[in-house]
Amino acid sequence: MQHAVGAPLPPPPGQGPGSRLNGHPPMGSHPVPPVPAAPPAAGPPPGWPASPPPQPPPADATGHLMVPQGAPVPGAQPADPAHAAVAVILIGPAGAGKTTVARHWADTRRVPTAHISLDDVREWVRSGFADPQSGWNDHSEAQYRLARRTCGFAARNFLANGISCILDDAVFPDRPAVGLGGWKRHVGPGLLPVVLLPGLEVVLERNAERTGNRRLGDEEVARIHGRMAGWYGSGLPIIDNSQQDVATTARLLDEVVARSLSSPPSW
């Protein structure tokens, strides 16, 4: 039997409307039984009080679990300055005795302690060394920043392995570009700055005993010392070691570090 092109084909035998397939009614013709309703919630047994309705969680709860009140962490006591791994930066003018005191302090502590001198790291550069005595310029500042990053990297590695460290640098209070902020960024927020600032006469005398490029002219020493006086009123601890020997100054440094650990200075 021929059908026109595009005309709908008739349904196969037994699949037309109302037809039955193998003696069964077509799919979809069975009535869908209704879903039985959920039985009402059973009430409490006779003689028992009814349960109170659920209440919203209080403001200090997480989900439906109460957050316990905070308690002190066991053993969370102030660090013992004689045994704690700390990072100290000793600040002062040329001739203040920073390197000598820092080395003695590191030598005599009862825990492993490293001394990192920025001047020593700067002089790792042999050919092309930018000597600050020749003038402070972009070249000398770039080498200073590189040495400071290197010192900070070393200090973090020492601290990560439980070794304290003391750094020394002539950080000026009126030069933020090469100031304490860079040291804090490279070493970490726990860095403890301490200023070593003897009198000008003592600084001039100690500077005269220096040799090589570590020795500065008297006018330059006086100018640096005057700028270092800006640390007064900064809130940083200051040690005047004009009349103190190295061992006594190191002991004073221990006391300052102990106070700083219990009440860190804001800087």
Side-chain angles (χ1 to χ4, degrees), residues 60-74:
D60 58 350
T62 303
H64 295 290
L65 298 176
M66 293 292 296
V67 177
Q69 296 294 327
V73 178

Side-chain angles (χ1 to χ4, degrees), residues 108-255:
T108 55
R109 293 192 83 217
R110 288 180 287 175
V111 293
T113 304
H115 170 224
I116 307 171
S117 174
L118 179 114
D119 284 344
D120 290 346
V121 175
R122 290 186 71 178
E123 292 175 0
W124 289 355
V125 179
R126 308 304 295 174
S127 175
F129 172 64
D131 191 344
Q133 294 193 54
S134 302
W136 187 263
N137 50 41
D138 292 342
H139 193 198
S140 55
E141 182 170 328
Q143 289 193 7
Y144 170 86
R145 291 176 180 272
L146 175 60
R148 185 175 62 184
R149 287 197 303 271
T150 304
C151 292
F153 179 79
R156 292 197 309 274
N157 276 332
F158 281 127
L159 292 172
N161 288 276
I163 299 177
S164 297
C165 58
I166 182 168
L167 309 105
D168 67 83
D169 182 24
V171 181
F172 293 99
D174 56 350
R175 295 200 63 182
V178 290
L180 270 179
W183 281 110
K184 185 176 182 180
R185 182 171 63 254
H186 293 307
V187 179
L191 180 65
L192 302 177
V194 181
V195 181
L196 198 63
L197 191 55
L200 176 58
E201 305 254 333
V202 175
V203 168
L204 289 171
E205 181 181 345
R206 291 174 180 171
N207 178 70
E209 299 172 356
R210 291 181 162 192
T211 58
N213 63 356
R214 299 286 180 96
R215 181 174 179 174
L216 305 178
D218 287 351
E219 292 184 1
E220 180 71 7
V221 171
R223 185 181 66 84
I224 293 174
H225 186 275
R227 292 174 64 183
M228 287 291 173
W231 288 117
Y232 284 106
S234 66
L236 298 186
I238 298 177
I239 299 175
D240 182 353
N241 60 328
S242 300
Q243 306 298 326
Q244 313 295 341
D245 59 13
V246 175
T248 304
T249 306
R251 180 178 55 79
L252 294 175
L253 178 59
D254 260 331
E255 296 174 2

Side-chain angles (χ1 to χ4, degrees), residues 28-97:
S29 61
H30 289 288
V32 179
V35 179
W48 289 82
S51 300
Q55 299 294 327
D60 58 350
T62 303
H64 295 290
L65 298 176
M66 293 292 296
V67 177
Q69 296 294 327
V73 178
Q77 302 295 329
D80 179 6
H83 300 88
V86 296
V88 179
I89 180 167
L90 203 56
I91 302 166

Side-chain angles (χ1 to χ4, degrees), residues 53 101 114:
V101 171

